[in-house]
Amino acid sequence: MKKSILVLAMVSVSLIFAVNVARAQTRTWADAGTDWNTDTNWTLANVPDTSAEIAMFNNLSPLVNQPNISSSVTVNYVIMQNATVGGITLSSSPGATLTVMSTSAAAAGAALASHANGTGATPNEVSANVVLGAAEGATQTFIVRNNTDMRLFTVSGNISSTNTVNLNLALGTNSDNGIALTGCNSFTGNLFISGAKIAYLNTIGNVGASSAAGAGSTIRLGGDAGGSGTTGNLYYTGSATSTNKTLEFSGTTGNRTIRHTGTGLLQFAGPVTGAANTGTSTRILNFGAVSAGAGIEIKGDLVDWGTIPWGTTGNNSTQVRIIFNNAGIVTFAGNNTYTGTTEIGHATLGAGGTLLVNGNHTNAGTYSMTVNSSSAPFLGGNGVITYATAGTLSVVSGGGLTPGGNADGTWSAGTLTLNLGTGGSGNLNLASMTGNNAGRLVFDLAAPGASDKVLLGANTELRIGAGLLEKSDFTFNLRSGFTAGTYTLFDTSLTVNGTLSGAAGALDIDFGGGYSGTIGLSGDGTDIILTVIPEPATVGMAVAGLALMVLRRRIRG
C-alpha cells in the first residue's frame, strides 16, 4: 500500500513538472482578438502569465488585433517582432500592469525587446504600464535591434519597479535606431544607456522624482548593463529643466553624446563621474543643442577618469566635441581638468555652435574650431582656459569669439581668460578670420570696465595679421550703461602681433544715439581698445545748452 502511494506521488510530481515545463515556453500571439488575457488569442490557447513564460509577437503581416492587457500579468520577457509594415502597440486597461522579470541583456532574453527586421517596418510601442520585477539591485534591459531602416521603439507607459532595479537601454546598430521613454517613470534604480544608437527622453527630473529618466540617482552613458562596452547616446526632446542626478560616463573607447533637440536650458547640476578608463584610447564626449534658445549646461567637473595601464602606451584622455550644436549653446561651468582636445564643430559630424566656458579648465589640451555649413563655431564665456603646455588657439575663418554670456542665452558682462603660454610661448590667432566682414568678434558693451573682454595671460600673444582687423569683424551689442569712454576688448601683456586695417573709415563706428567710436591699439601696443566719444553734433548741442544757461543766469543777475 505504501509502495502504491509512493508511486502515485511520484507520478503526480512528474505531471506537475511536465505541466510547468509545458508552460515555461514561448507563447505566440495568434491575432484572434485584442485581449491579452484571453487564452484563444494565443497559440496553444494559453495566456502567458507566469514569470517562466515568454510573450512573442511575431507578425509577418500587419496585426488585425493590437494586444491590450485587461488585467495585470507577469511574464519573463516580451519580444515584439514585425517583419513588414505595421507596428505592434501593446496597451493596458486602467489599473492593469505588465510585470517583466528577465535580467538578461541579450537580444533574445531582454525584458522588453523590439525587433523590426523588414524595410519600412512601422515602429513598435508599449503604452502599457510596465513593472520591473527583478530582485533588489538587479539590472533589467529594454533592447531595440533592427536590421534595416530607422525604427524607434517607444515605451510611453509608466515604468515602475517592485525593488530598486536599474534599467538598461541597449540600442541597435542601424541609423537612428533607438528607444524613446516618454512616461512618468518611477523606477528607483539608475538609468543606463548603451549601444551605438539613441535613447530619447522627454523629461529628466531630480533624484527621487518621477520622469522619463526614472527616479534613480544616476544617468550613465556608455557601457552595457555591467558597465563595460563603449558608446551611449542621450537625446533630450523636452523643455527647460534642471536635474541633480549624477551624470556618469562609463566604458572605454567610443562616443558618449548628449544632444538637446527640444527647447530651453537642459542643466545637469549634479556631479559628473566616470568609470575608470583602463584602456589606451581616448574617450570622446559629444555635446550639442540644436535649436536657437536651447542649451546644455554641465555644472560638474569633466576629467580624464583613469590612467594608462602600467607597461602600455596610448592616450586614454577625455576628448570633448561640441557638435550638432547649430544655433544652441553648450556651457561648461565646472572645474574641468580633462587633457584631451576640445573641438568646436566637426567637418562631418555637425556644426559647432557656441561653447561657453563659465568655469575653469586647467591642464587643458588644445581648443580648435571647424566650420560646418550649418553654423559658425564660437568660443565664449567668463571662465579661464589654461593649456597644459604652450600652444595656439586659432579662430578660423567663419569662427568667432563671444566673451561673457549665460547658459540660458541671456547677457551678462564677462571676461574670457586664455592662458595659452604655459611653459613657453602661446598665442591666440585671429589672422585667419579677420577681414571677412562677418562680425564674429562679439562684445556686449555696458559701462567701460563692466563690459565683455578677452584677457590673454602671461606668454600669450595676440596675432591679428597684417592690416586685416577692422570694424566689420566686430559685432557690438549695446547694453544699459553704455556711454563714452575707453573699452578694452583684448587685454594682453605682449605687443600685438600684426596691424589694424589702414583703410579709410575701416575702424570708425557710428553707434547712433549720439555716440561714435574708433577701434585702435593702446598706447603701449599691447591691447585692442574701443574709444567711444559723443558725436560732434551732440557735443555742440551740449555746449550751446550750457552757454544758454550761462546767458540766462547773467540776464537774471
Side-chain angles (χ1 to χ4, degrees):
M1 181 66 179
K2 290 182 179 179
K3 183 175 181 180
S4 298
I5 294 173
L6 178 61
V7 170
L8 180 60
M10 292 177 63
V11 171
S12 299
V13 171
S14 297
L15 288 173
I16 293 171
F17 178 76
V19 170
N20 286 338
V21 169
R23 291 181 63 83
Q25 60 179 314
T26 300
R27 306 298 184 189
T28 303
W29 184 247
D31 201 16
T34 61
D35 184 23
W36 174 302
N37 302 80
T38 299
D39 282 341
T40 55
N41 291 335
W42 298 90
T43 57
L44 302 179
N46 203 324
V47 173
D49 57 4
T50 72
S51 60
E53 291 178 290
I54 303 160
M56 166 73 81
F57 298 89
N58 188 12
N59 58 311
L60 298 178
S61 59
L63 288 180
V64 175
N65 300 286
Q66 296 288 356
N68 179 75
I69 299 169
S70 58
S71 61
S72 297
V73 294
T74 297
V75 297
N76 194 336
Y77 59 90
V78 176
I79 297 178
M80 306 171 75
Q81 182 165 300
N82 52 316
T84 58
V85 294
I88 303 162
T89 299
L90 174 58
S91 60
S92 61
S93 299
T97 59
L98 169 66
T99 298
V100 287
M101 301 300 296
S102 175
T103 57
S104 172
L112 287 181
S114 175
H115 302 265
N117 298 318
T119 301
T122 303
N124 297 326
E125 179 176 358
V126 175
S127 61
N129 293 329
V130 178
V131 179
L132 306 177
E136 180 76 16
T139 296
Q140 296 188 254
T141 296
F142 294 173
I143 193 168
V144 57
R145 292 184 66 83
N146 304 314
N147 295 332
T148 56
D149 284 357
M150 178 273 192
R151 255 92 67 194
L152 180 68
F153 178 34
T154 299
V155 182
S156 57
N158 298 331
I159 305 168
S160 59
S161 59
T162 53
N163 299 294
T164 301
V165 175
N166 303 316
L167 176 58
N168 176 47
L169 303 182
L171 308 173
T173 57
N174 296 101
S175 177
D176 290 327
N177 293 340
I179 299 177
L181 302 185
T182 61
C184 186
N185 302 326
S186 61
F187 65 90
T188 53
N190 298 323
L191 179 64
F192 303 155
I193 299 172
S194 63
K197 295 307 170 186
I198 303 161
Y200 298 87
L201 303 177
N202 66 343
T203 56
I204 302 176
N206 284 327
V207 176
S210 297
S211 70
S217 63
T218 300
I219 297 175
R220 187 176 75 192
L221 302 184
D224 54 25
S228 60
T230 55
T231 56
N233 304 304
L234 165 61
Y235 281 25
Y236 180 69
T237 61
S239 56
T241 191
S242 177
T243 177
N244 62 0
K245 290 179 183 290
T246 295
L247 183 61
E248 179 183 326
F249 299 103
S250 187
T252 53
T253 62
N255 298 328
R256 289 117 191 95
T257 299
I258 298 178
R259 185 177 182 182
H260 183 5
T261 62
T263 60
L265 177 64
L266 169 61
Q267 182 187 74
F268 289 92
V272 179
T273 65
N277 182 5
T278 57
T280 59
S281 299
T282 298
R283 179 160 43 191
I284 301 172
L285 310 182
N286 299 320
F287 301 93
V290 173
S291 304
I296 299 172
E297 183 178 24
I298 309 295
K299 295 183 76 69
D301 304 336
L302 300 176
V303 305
D304 281 344
W305 298 301
T307 56
I308 299 174
W310 180 260
T312 64
T313 60
N315 175 15
N316 71 345
S317 62
T318 296
Q319 175 184 345
V320 169
R321 295 190 300 207
I322 309 301
I323 56 177
F324 314 123
N325 205 26
N326 297 353
I329 299 172
V330 174
T331 303
F332 296 151
N335 292 311
N336 299 335
T337 58
Y338 66 90
T339 59
T341 59
T342 302
E343 300 178 23
I344 309 173
H346 194 278
T348 59
L349 293 178
T354 299
L355 170 63
L356 299 182
V357 177
N358 283 348
N360 296 317
H361 187 182
T362 57
N363 205 33
T366 57
Y367 278 61
S368 65
M369 296 182 181
T370 300
V371 174
N372 181 283
S373 59
S374 299
S375 76
F378 280 87
L379 174 64
N382 52 42
V384 179
I385 299 172
T386 303
Y387 277 6
T389 58
T392 296
L393 196 165
S394 292
V395 181
V396 297
S397 179
L401 296 175
T402 177
N406 299 317
D408 61 1
T410 58
W411 170 77
S412 65
T415 297
L416 177 64
T417 301
L418 304 175
N419 298 316
L420 312 180
T422 306
S425 298
N427 67 87
L428 172 63
N429 190 353
L430 306 182
S432 296
M433 60 81 58
T434 54
N436 61 12
N437 303 312
R440 291 194 170 120
L441 299 175
V442 182
F443 291 80
D444 291 271
L445 305 180
S451 298
D452 292 346
K453 74 175 179 179
V454 177
L455 173 64
L456 302 187
N459 302 319
T460 302
E461 181 182 62
L462 177 61
R463 298 180 179 179
I464 62 173
L468 297 176
L469 190 66
E470 59 183 43
K471 65 182 178 183
S472 64
D473 295 310
F474 291 86
T475 294
F476 295 112
N477 299 314
L478 305 187
R479 304 293 182 176
S480 176
F482 174 73
T483 188
T486 300
Y487 292 80
T488 300
L489 306 177
F490 290 89
D491 187 347
T492 85
S493 59
L494 302 176
T495 301
V496 173
N497 185 330
T499 55
L500 300 172
S501 173
L507 302 175
D508 299 327
I509 304 168
D510 182 2
F511 289 111
Y515 291 101
S516 62
T518 301
I519 299 169
L521 297 179
S522 60
D524 60 2
T526 62
D527 301 334
I528 295 179
I529 61 174
L530 171 68
T531 303
V532 177
I533 60 174
E535 293 179 346
T538 305
V539 174
M541 291 177 63
V543 171
L546 180 61
L548 182 59
M549 290 176 60
V550 171
L551 179 60
R552 285 176 175 173
R553 287 177 180 175
R554 288 179 177 175
I555 293 174
R556 289 173 181 172

